[in-house]
Amino acid sequence: MDRRDFIKKAALAAAGTAVAGPMSAMFSTAAGESPAGGKVPRVLLINGSPRPDGNTFCCLKEIEMQLQKEGVEAEIVQIGTADVHMCINCGGCRQNGGQGCVFDDDVYGEVVKKMAIADALVVGTPVYYGQPNGGILALMQRLFFSAGHLVQNKPAAALAVCRRGGATATLQTMNMMFEMMNMPVVTSQYWNIAYGAGKGEVKRDTEGMQTMRTLATNMAWMLKKIHRDGEPTAPQRSERPLFMNFIR
């Protein structure tokens, strides 16, 4: 598979037109459809930190509690220290009958199953050298490329935790993935950033914690609007994706 074919297939998957087969049957939630069936919306939160109870978890827990106060179900998944294979651009997920990524590590499998029944996504990560954690990047890239139909048109948000700097660049990296998948990016009262170094120190960032609660409130508001009339419908695209490679 050359570079141009790879770009085309990735974009088609993002448009929801390249996924079929057993995986689609197993996870029957189509792009833009709600698995809630008029019930309480559900949000999947992913902790991209290797520390299960560190500062990133504290932020996600704040969001989870606020979502529950707003009447929205929420669940936190930890990537922890388990091996997370990176995407190697093998194209196997496009050639194996819709079975998903050819690497079946436990974290990926768990997230795929939970994303199939979730209505929205929140991803938290510590800042490593001005970037998201390598594990969460590997996971998200594989999820979006091999099972993009599960995230299409679902609201999403990212949050970054840092000691001092690099958080805005980290947020930009995460949000760029959401935008490629037609996922409405949920905002807050400020950038979704909180500061802390030692374990639990982030709780002392009162503005950061308030930002997390506001993010959760806005997420709940958007989900309730989407589900107000029952099963939501995805925006209807009148054009097929166009591909332009500047090197001819």
Side-chain angles (χ1 to χ4, degrees):
M1 181 188 302
D2 63 24
R3 182 174 181 273
R4 184 171 296 182
D5 287 339
F6 169 78
I7 293 173
K8 287 182 178 180
K9 289 185 177 181
L12 285 171
T17 59
V19 179
M23 188 173 190
S24 296
M26 181 177 180
F27 305 119
S28 59
T29 305
E33 293 181 353
S34 167
K39 299 180 181 179
V40 178
R42 180 180 301 177
V43 179
L44 176 63
L45 302 97
I46 303 177
N47 181 7
S49 171
R51 297 182 175 88
D53 57 353
N55 287 321
T56 304
F57 173 77
C58 290
C59 292
L60 290 169
K61 192 66 179 178
E62 195 78 8
I63 294 171
E64 179 189 46
M65 291 189 297
Q66 187 64 29
L67 284 170
Q68 291 171 346
K69 289 180 182 178
E70 299 282 348
V72 174
E73 292 183 4
E75 179 182 8
I76 300 175
V77 171
Q78 313 274 5
I79 69 168
T81 58
D83 292 336
V84 181
H85 207 294
M86 69 176 183
C87 178
I88 62 170
N89 186 20
C90 67
C93 58
R94 301 287 177 263
Q95 302 167 13
N96 64 359
Q99 293 291 342
C101 184
V102 296
F103 300 114
D104 59 351
D105 51 76
D106 293 341
V107 174
Y108 169 85
E110 181 181 9
V111 168
V112 166
K113 290 179 181 178
K114 293 183 182 298
M115 196 66 238
I117 58 174
D119 299 287
L121 176 66
V122 177
V123 182
T125 178
V127 175
Y128 289 0
Y129 296 95
Q131 303 165 73
N133 172 294
I136 196 64
L137 275 179
L139 175 64
M140 300 308 294
Q141 288 170 359
R142 284 172 61 208
L143 172 68
F144 284 14
F145 188 64
S146 65
H149 64 299
L150 299 181
V151 301
Q152 280 286 318
N153 301 300
K154 295 180 179 180
L159 67 93
V161 178
C162 66
R163 179 190 67 84
R164 184 172 179 85
T168 53
T170 298
L171 280 178
Q172 180 182 0
T173 299
M174 299 301 295
N175 285 337
M176 288 173 72
M177 289 191 283
F178 299 149
E179 292 180 20
M180 284 190 68
M181 304 307 293
N182 299 308
M183 304 176 78
V185 177
V186 180
T187 60
S188 184
Q189 65 192 42
Y190 197 73
W191 299 308
N192 303 327
I193 296 170
Y195 294 88
K199 182 178 177 179
E201 194 172 88
V202 73
K203 294 179 182 179
R204 296 165 57 188
D205 180 3
T206 54
E207 183 177 352
M209 291 295 99
Q210 185 181 65
T211 298
M212 301 304 149
R213 293 192 297 273
T214 303
L215 168 61
T217 298
N218 290 349
M219 174 73 80
W221 174 84
M222 181 179 290
L223 286 171
K224 289 174 184 177
K225 289 289 186 181
I226 292 173
H227 293 269
R228 181 178 55 188
D229 298 324
E231 293 287 340
T233 57
Q236 298 300 307
R237 300 183 64 166
S238 59
E239 300 182 40
R240 292 184 62 83
L242 298 177
F243 309 101
M244 177 62 191
N245 190 336
F246 291 101
I247 301 175
R248 292 294 187 183

